[in-house]
Amino acid sequence: MARDILHLAVPDFAVALARAVDPALRDRPLAVAAGLSQGSLLRCVSVEARRDGVTPGMNIHLAHKCCPALQLLTPQPELTSKAVKVLRELVCHCSPLWESNGDGRLFLDLTGSRRLLGSPLDVAARLERQVADRLQLPATCGLAGNKLVARMAAGYLDRPGICDVLRGSERNFIAPLTVAALPGIGSLRAERLLQDLNLRRVEQVAALSVAQLEPICGPFAALLQQRSRGIDPDPVRPPQRTATVIEEALLERASNEETTIRAALGRLAEACGLRLRSLGRGAGRLRLTLGYADGCSAERRLTLATPRHLDLELMTVADALLQRAWQRRIRLRLLRLSCEQLVAPSRQLSLFATPQTGRISDTLQSTFDELRHRFGSRAVSWGRNL
């Protein structure tokens, strides 16, 4: 059966969100940067700025030289998270088989759903209209028989709309496109293909063998040849549900005071511990994510020798992760503590530990949990977390 794959994309997602909030930013050259220093790199660039030679990954100093009228925007992680959540809610009503391809980009597998939802073209038109109505965002849709060509079809459009590629003609559709249009090529590899082999269009790459491409592309040659012929057997992979306990804290005001940060982190460890014990599980791995005020983030993880579920144990590990992850002087805005690889906590005592130590900790923790269940989660807390 021929597959029907839809790729929904909001071009320049961060810029489009900023324009949806402030319509006065439309038709202006914009760029989203992690910081405001001259060496900070651009994350997202509007079409108007791209016309002047500004590209993502360029530093601010060079970008202002290319486009003196460039207006810089700061990342808005809270707004991005809400918009991504709405997009996922919309696609869930169309197909249970959907896969995220980054912020503002989603794959949907509509194969076999014509009798229920109508033709894939109708589904794409409804989705585009819903995104415009609920989020005020322009969306492009690509329809094809595989993920690769559906993604390229959506990127082919320079304005909101739908590009439907006839099933079986994927190779013919991408043949006249430039080599840089193929996902995974990048500007550096495209330049080498042009300089060394004088390859400009996708059909020229498709005509070569893997042996001819290997001197330039190395191990990527086989995959490049497959993609240049419009072949992509990769299925749409829905998000995998894993047992994870996650607690997150958004500070009222960005701060870099160690006491404040450690108190917030301790409260996250307490909340994670309470949920773990209610599930009868221990965390085999902890992951700490820090969100800075300038939009950058840092993440560290630690795999534990034995599963942990007590407050003090989790706080000790979280503090160690904080020391490893907190390497910048910028103030922190967000902390997220994730407990992964959940298993039943070990009851085996240490060979050299005092026999009463484990029992005293468990008894004290049980008393704390009982008080929290009866009088609320903030009824009792460790002193460092106040």
Side-chain angles (χ1 to χ4, degrees), residues 49-104:
R50 204 176 286 117
R51 289 172 186 160
D52 290 338
V54 181
T55 58
M58 182 181 290
N59 63 54
I60 292 179
H61 177 70
L62 184 57
H64 275 304
K65 282 189 174 183
C66 296
C67 180
L70 182 67
Q71 184 174 345
L72 296 176
L73 305 173
T74 56
Q76 303 183 60
E78 297 89 354
L79 182 63
T80 301
S81 178
K82 291 179 181 178
V84 169
K85 184 177 180 180
V86 173
L87 281 177
R88 292 178 178 177
E89 289 176 357
L90 292 176
V91 301
C92 281
H93 293 294
C94 298
S95 174
L97 294 177
W98 61 271
E99 177 184 348
S100 175
N101 191 35
D103 290 341

Side-chain angles (χ1 to χ4, degrees), residues 30 238 246 375:
L30 304 174
I246 301 176
F375 303 107

Side-chain angles (χ1 to χ4, degrees), residues 73-208:
L73 305 173
T74 56
Q76 303 183 60
E78 297 89 354
L79 182 63
T80 301
S81 178
K82 291 179 181 178
V84 169
K85 184 177 180 180
V86 173
L87 281 177
R88 292 178 178 177
E89 289 176 357
L90 292 176
V91 301
C92 281
H93 293 294
C94 298
S95 174
L97 294 177
W98 61 271
E99 177 184 348
S100 175
N101 191 35
D103 290 341
R105 294 180 175 273
L106 294 161
F107 286 110
L108 287 83
D109 192 340
L110 303 176
T111 306
S113 63
R114 289 176 179 265
R115 294 182 62 183
L116 179 63
L117 302 174
S119 69
L121 196 60
D122 293 337
V123 176
R126 286 198 301 269
L127 267 178
E128 183 195 359
R129 186 169 57 250
Q130 290 171 348
V131 172
D133 292 341
R134 291 194 58 179
L135 296 173
Q136 306 300 315
L137 296 177
T140 60
C141 296
L143 284 166
N146 58 58
K147 291 165 60 176
L148 170 73
V149 181
R151 176 179 174 180
M152 296 179 69
Y156 180 77
L157 300 173
D158 57 359
R159 63 186 66 184
I162 304 169
C163 181
D164 188 5
V165 180
L166 184 66
R167 308 302 177 268
S169 63
E170 286 82 6
R171 179 171 180 174
N172 294 332
F173 171 76
I174 67 174
L177 301 181
T178 61
V179 174
L182 284 172
I185 287 292
S187 58
L188 181 61
R189 187 172 281 151
E191 184 178 353
R192 291 188 61 189
L193 287 171
L194 176 62
Q195 290 179 350
D196 296 351
L197 299 178
N198 195 28
L199 301 177
R200 299 175 182 272
R201 297 188 303 275
V202 173
E203 60 185 353
Q204 295 175 319
V205 179
L208 299 181

Side-chain angles (χ1 to χ4, degrees), residues 286-361:
L286 260 65
R287 183 197 305 264
L288 177 64
T289 305
L290 304 179
Y292 291 94
D294 61 359
C296 293
S297 61
E299 183 178 281
R300 293 293 186 273
R301 68 183 75 178
L302 180 63
T303 301
L304 307 175
T306 56
R308 307 290 185 183
H309 66 287
L310 301 179
D311 288 351
L312 289 178
E313 296 175 341
L314 294 174
M315 283 189 283
T316 301
V317 178
D319 285 341
L321 287 173
L322 180 65
Q323 293 295 325
R324 291 169 50 190
W326 197 8
Q327 300 295 331
R328 304 178 67 209
R329 297 181 181 179
I330 308 299
R331 296 182 179 182
L332 291 176
R333 188 81 171 90
L334 172 76
L335 292 94
R336 183 186 298 114
L337 186 63
S338 306
C339 299
E340 304 169 345
Q341 297 181 0
L342 306 188
V343 295
S346 175
R347 298 298 180 182
Q348 178 66 44
L349 297 178
S350 174
L351 179 62
F352 301 104
T354 305
Q356 281 77 18
T357 302
R359 288 200 294 268
I360 292 174
S361 299

Side-chain angles (χ1 to χ4, degrees), residues 246-257:
I246 301 176
E247 290 291 338
E248 184 176 282
L250 184 64
L251 302 181
E252 293 183 5
R253 291 191 302 175
S255 173
N256 56 4
E257 295 182 1

